Amino acid sequence: IHLLIHCFKQDVNDPDRPGFSENDLEYYFRRYFKKPFSLKNYNLEKASDLQNLIKDSFKISEKTGFLEAVMDVDTPIEQFVKLTEEHRRERQRRLDAGDESAELKFPKTALGGGGGKTLTPGQGHKRSHHKQFRGVRPHIARPMRPALGASTHSSNNRSNNNTNSSGGNRVASRPR
């Protein structure tokens, strides 16, 4: 989301429109990253709820209602890794103290657990296009044959080709 906000700001390049509203988050995420984004995958209802989870990445402006990046565009990725680890440790500390509200709860559909057919081991997918390849042998590399008209004794060719009628040396050409 950090990159999305900075990319949008750079692409629009308009001081009157420094960002986009939280209602447009899913649209611009799909537009920029070519992947769907849904707050429901994080068990959230609003972007402000997401902002509470990753408060170091973006904030929602009270004045304009636009999403704004908290960190600079050139923030190294290591900084995000450190912040993620700090938040994970804080949640774990709170869970160990008995605070169950610190637990992240994701719906099963977000993890790929719902809606699809479950395959048993060894079942695999049936592919109908394999029928067209029945009886076709795979390509087998064969040794190269000498070019037509070329002698099989390459030493004779080289000795004849290295000198010309004027007695000077010339570069031997490779048989084709």
Side-chain angles (χ1 to χ4, degrees):
I1 294 181
H2 166 81
L3 287 176
L4 174 63
I5 295 168
H6 282 294
C7 289
F8 179 85
K9 189 174 183 178
Q10 181 180 356
D11 289 346
V12 171
N13 197 17
D14 183 7
D16 293 335
R17 183 149 172 119
F20 53 88
S21 70
E22 63 182 281
N23 296 335
D24 297 328
L25 175 63
E26 293 179 20
Y27 171 78
Y28 285 115
F29 192 92
R30 186 178 309 111
R31 181 98 171 149
Y32 276 82
F33 298 118
K34 309 231 182 311
K35 293 182 179 183
F37 179 82
S38 176
L39 291 169
K40 293 178 182 177
N41 289 343
Y42 300 97
N43 206 18
L44 303 171
E45 298 295 323
K46 301 182 296 185
S48 57
D49 298 334
L50 180 64
Q51 193 264 335
N52 290 334
L53 284 178
I54 52 176
K55 51 186 150 255
D56 297 321
S57 294
F58 78 97
K59 65 180 180 177
I60 300 172
S61 172
E62 292 178 13
K63 187 171 110 178
T64 61
F66 290 154
L67 276 65
E68 297 177 351
V70 175
M71 294 188 219
D72 292 333
V73 68
D74 58 350
T75 303
I77 192 75
E78 292 84 14
Q79 182 66 28
F80 290 102
V81 173
K82 287 177 186 177
L83 290 171
T84 302
E85 181 60 19
E86 285 176 13
H87 290 297
R88 185 197 66 80
R89 287 181 182 174
E90 175 63 21
R91 280 193 311 275
Q92 187 62 45
R93 185 192 62 75
R94 288 174 47 201
L95 281 170
D96 291 343
D99 183 7
E100 292 184 18
S101 67
E103 183 179 12
L104 296 178
K105 297 176 184 176
F106 299 104
K108 288 187 179 192
T109 57
L111 300 174
K117 179 182 175 185
T118 305
L119 299 175
T120 59
Q123 184 179 6
H125 293 282
K126 306 227 185 283
R127 295 183 179 148
S128 61
H129 68 276
H130 281 239
K131 293 176 186 176
Q132 67 185 358
F133 295 113
R134 282 192 189 145
V136 176
R137 293 177 151 186
H139 174 71
I140 300 172
R142 295 189 176 114
M144 292 183 61
R145 297 181 185 167
L148 291 177
S151 170
T152 57
H153 302 287
S154 60
S155 60
N156 290 343
N157 281 342
R158 281 194 199 124
S159 61
N160 293 339
N161 289 338
N162 286 343
T163 58
N164 59 18
S165 59
S166 63
N169 288 339
R170 75 177 183 181
V171 178
S173 61
R174 297 173 128 190
R176 294 182 189 184

